[in-house]
Amino acid sequence: MDFLILFLIYLAVCLSCMVIAIKFSRQSQECFARIVHHVTLVIGPVIPRWLQVAVQLALHRLIHQRNSFFLVLHLVLEVAVYGEYSWEVFPYCLELGFGHSILLLPYIMLLGKMYFFYLCCTRDPGTISPSNHKQLLRVFTYDGILYRHARVCPTCELVKLARSKHCRVCNHCVHRFDHHCVWVNNCIGASNIRYFLLYLVTLSGMAAVVGTVTVRFLVQVALMSNLPQAMYVNAEGEHVPVGILFIVQKLFLTFPRILFMLGFTLLTFFLLAGYTAFHFYLVMTNQTSNEWYKHKNSCQCHIDNIYHRGLIANVKEIISPETVQQGFR
Ligand SMILES: [Zn+2]
Ligand SMILES: [Zn+2]
């Protein structure tokens, strides 16, 4: 049972890290900075001054400046999962007679994901500049609640557009600002939200197919070994069928790396699927993450969303934003 406890601890740690990373990557950078500040106050007296300065500098760069840390982490995790899949799951499945189409599907999903990931990282999200400001001003009207007339961005020195926001990390205003995503090291706005949605869909799909193939492999191994029919002798000397926990433990001891990879992949899938569903809900109701967050924290319970124009118009706004129609990249 020790291995199962270890495995459950591993899953709990993975889940906690993912939740923190997702939360940190969205609206909670100030919250994260506050936590770091409090932790520094508590452990500060026992840590050398130079180390504190170095950590603060590193965290400042991580939180407030564009950097490649999460891009690299993203790729390292992917290499770890696909390395294990290619090294063990793939050859074992071939031996068991799995079809090539199902085994190659994770690689096809990976190619699709890499393409949309690249577009998210490199495409302009909708940066507002003096040259396109006048054009973009006409796209959305001010709702008078979240967005009001005559406010000026002190950094860009331009009148703030409805549905825009100044990104402190990228240091410019973004049209139809959704959020700054550390995983793609770019803002998500009017011009790249469609790529971001496709990136989420392919990423969730990738986790789903890797998980499905791996589960299928483990089930087949368990069936071939007759594990479900196995019995053990209990303290009273009776023959009792082994339970699901025994089967999982047995598989864990036989294929530890595959089980670790599967645990991580399944957790990733459920979190990503939830996050993707949330973004599709935002598309259907024509809200950005930024607006949803502001509505949630607003004291006004029922705020009319004037940008909601029906499902088809809302989807069209994502697929073909007015910025693109006007020749703005
Ligand atoms: Zn600005
Ligand atoms: Zn940004």
Side-chain angles (χ1 to χ4, degrees), residues 128 153-158 160 165-167 171-174:
I128 299 168
C153 171
T155 310
C156 304
E157 296 178 338
L158 293 168
K160 283 187 175 180
K165 188 173 186 281
H166 184 87
C167 175
N171 203 30
H172 51 228
C173 281
V174 175

Side-chain angles (χ1 to χ4, degrees), residues 120-277:
C120 285
C121 296
T122 54
R123 288 297 166 99
D124 190 321
T127 306
I128 299 168
S129 64
S131 59
N132 63 23
H133 182 265
K134 205 172 166 187
Q135 276 183 315
L136 294 177
L137 196 57
R138 293 198 296 267
V139 177
F140 296 116
T141 52
Y142 292 90
D143 65 357
I145 302 165
L146 296 181
Y147 306 105
R148 294 195 172 94
H149 286 278
R151 287 190 175 168
V152 176
C153 171
T155 310
C156 304
E157 296 178 338
L158 293 168
V159 171
K160 283 187 175 180
L161 307 182
R163 311 195 83 182
S164 73
K165 188 173 186 281
H166 184 87
C167 175
R168 284 185 306 168
V169 182
C170 302
N171 203 30
H172 51 228
C173 281
V174 175
H175 181 51
R176 202 187 185 279
F177 176 88
D178 194 275
H179 68 288
H180 180 88
C181 178
V182 293
W183 296 102
V184 299
N185 196 24
N186 200 3
C187 268
I188 304 302
S191 299
N192 66 352
I193 181 79
R194 59 194 185 283
Y195 304 130
F196 182 69
L197 291 170
L198 290 167
Y199 161 67
L200 286 181
V201 169
T202 46
L203 191 60
S204 311
M206 216 171 82
V209 290
V210 171
T212 305
V213 172
T214 310
V215 167
R216 229 182 107 183
F217 160 69
L218 292 170
V219 168
Q220 193 146 333
V221 168
L223 292 175
M224 285 169 65
S225 313
N226 284 325
L227 284 178
Q229 285 82 42
M231 309 282 269
Y232 76 97
V233 181
N234 66 10
E236 286 78 41
E238 298 162 333
H239 284 75
V240 181
V242 296
I244 185 74
L245 284 178
F246 174 85
I247 296 173
V248 173
Q249 188 175 349
K250 174 78 178 156
L251 290 170
F252 184 84
L253 290 170
T254 315
F255 308 106
R257 286 191 299 271
I258 293 179
L259 262 289
F260 274 118
M261 183 273 278
L262 178 63
F264 175 76
T265 306
L266 291 181
L267 282 180
T268 308
F269 168 72
F270 286 117
L271 286 174
L272 282 172
Y275 189 56
T276 308

Side-chain angles (χ1 to χ4, degrees), residues 93-120:
C93 288
L94 271 183
E95 276 181 38
L96 292 175
F98 281 46
H100 281 84
S101 52
I102 181 93
L103 291 181
L104 292 176
L105 197 54
Y107 298 107
I108 296 165
M109 295 297 291
L110 178 66
L111 284 178
K113 195 273 322 175
M114 288 307 282
Y115 177 65
F116 294 119
F117 177 66
Y118 169 77
L119 290 179
C120 285

Side-chain angles (χ1 to χ4, degrees), residues 24-90:
F24 166 56
S25 71
R26 292 171 53 76
Q27 305 284 354
S28 308
Q29 292 179 12
E30 283 176 18
C31 171
F32 185 78
R34 272 204 303 276
I35 292 168
V36 170
H37 175 69
H38 289 305
V39 170
T40 310
L41 280 180
V42 174
I43 63 171
V46 292
I47 292 181
R49 181 71 192 144
W50 64 268
L51 189 59
Q52 285 184 42
V53 172
V55 170
Q56 278 174 358
L57 197 65
L59 285 172
H60 176 79
R61 289 193 64 179
L62 193 66
I63 297 167
H64 298 294
Q65 292 175 7
R66 288 185 81 178
N67 63 79
S68 305
F69 175 80
F70 285 94
L71 283 182
V72 174
L73 179 64
H74 182 291
L75 294 173
V76 167
L77 292 173
E78 228 158 61
V79 167
V81 169
Y82 270 83
E84 179 54 28
Y85 178 80
S86 307
W87 183 254
E88 290 202 288
V89 179
F90 190 90

